[in-house]
Amino acid sequence: MSISALTRRAAIGNLGAFGLLSASAVRTALADSAVRFREIRVDVAPLRASAGDPTADWVEQALPEDLTRALSAYLAPAERNGATLVARIQDVNFGQSGGRGGASGASPDSIRGVLIVGGPRAGIAAQTPLRASAAYSPSAADQALIEEAYHERVVALARAFAGRAPGELGL
C-alpha cells in the first residue's frame, strides 16, 4: 500500500473522529441552559409526500405554536448567534378505533420526525429523532364530522411532539 493511501485513510479517520467529537460537543452545548433559538421552523415536505393534505397542512399550522410554547424559555429571536430549530415531520399514523390505547376503546396515534438544530453559520449542529403518541377515543360525533375528528387528532399529536422536544434536545 502506498504512503499516500495510508495518509488519505488516516486523514479520513481523523475527520470521522473529529465529527464524532463535534457531535458530542454540540449535544453537550445543547444541554447547556444557555442555548437559545432565534427561529423555529416546521418542514412537512416528507409528510406531504406520504400523507398529503390536509394532514400536512394541519401539522404545519399547529406545530410552530406548540414548539414555541414548549421552548419559550430557550427563545431569543433577536440574538444573531442563536440556533435555528427545524422540526422535519416524516410520518403521522392514525391508530385503529378500539385499539390497545391507554383508555378503553382508545387507539394510539403517532407522529415521527427529526429535530434539526442549525448553528448560526447555517451548519447542522445536531439531529435528534423524535416520536410522540397520543390516545384517540372515538365519539359518536366523529362519524358525522370525520374531517374535524382527524384535525383534532393531528392537533393532539402536534402538542405531544412539541411537549417531548425539550427533553429530547436535553434542555
Side-chain angles (χ1 to χ4, degrees), residues 54-148:
T55 304
D57 286 338
W58 293 334
V59 171
E60 193 171 39
Q61 291 165 6
L63 191 54
E65 183 179 325
D66 291 334
L67 283 170
T68 299
R69 191 176 310 114
L71 296 167
S72 64
Y74 307 99
L75 293 179
E79 192 171 310
R80 274 184 53 165
N81 289 330
T84 299
L85 177 67
V86 177
R88 181 170 293 143
I89 306 303
Q90 298 162 328
D91 196 20
V92 168
N93 288 305
F94 299 108
Q96 297 296 318
S97 296
R100 294 183 296 253
S104 176
S107 62
D109 294 339
S110 66
I111 185 169
R112 183 176 57 89
V114 61
L115 298 172
I116 303 166
V117 178
R121 300 195 197 315
I124 293 178
Q127 293 189 35
T128 305
L130 195 149
R131 179 182 294 267
S133 62
Y136 162 69
S137 297
S139 73
D142 291 351
Q143 298 301 320
L145 305 168
I146 193 145
E147 187 169 337
E148 287 82 358

